[in-house]
């Protein structure tokens, strides 16, 4: 099953969860202080799109938004 998913380009494992694990404690606190992004057991949820953040680019954009809104320590 894993090989078939890889051939089709479908993610293997919970990428959203692994991205959330890379956050620093300050970044996690910043997420908790605002309303758009929520930490969930599966990863970081973007409540505007109702999708989990699942790429480095999406994570970078979310952190930049937090920083620009002065919600980032």
């Amino acid at each position: 099953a894993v090989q078939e998913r890889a051939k089709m380009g479908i993610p293997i494992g919970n990428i959203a969860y692994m991205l959330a694990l890379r956050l620093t404690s300050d970044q996690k606190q910043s997420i908790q202080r605002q309303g758009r992004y929520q930490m969930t057991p599966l990863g970081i949820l973007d409540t505007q799109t109702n999708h989990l953040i699942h790429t480095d680019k999406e994570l970078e954009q979310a952190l930049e938004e937090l920083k620009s809104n002065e919600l980032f320590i």
Side-chain angles (χ1 to χ4, degrees):
V2 171
Q3 290 175 342
E4 291 300 316
R5 288 179 66 90
K7 285 180 189 175
M8 294 187 310
I10 299 172
I12 300 167
N14 188 343
I15 295 169
Y17 176 74
M18 297 308 292
L19 287 172
L21 287 180
R22 295 186 347 200
L23 295 177
T24 66
S25 57
D26 288 342
Q27 291 168 330
K28 289 177 185 177
Q29 289 175 3
S30 294
I31 287 174
Q32 291 174 342
R33 288 194 304 266
Q34 52 76 54
R36 178 174 179 177
Y37 301 101
Q38 294 179 352
M39 294 293 292
T40 73
L42 297 176
I44 304 165
L45 175 67
D46 180 343
T47 61
Q48 284 186 353
T49 63
N50 289 321
H51 289 99
L52 292 170
I53 291 176
H54 63 278
T55 66
D56 286 325
K57 184 177 180 179
E58 289 176 345
L59 180 59
E60 289 171 16
Q61 289 173 339
L63 294 175
E64 282 299 316
E65 180 179 333
L66 291 174
K67 192 174 185 177
S68 69
N69 290 332
E70 298 180 18
L71 296 169
F72 194 171
I73 295 174

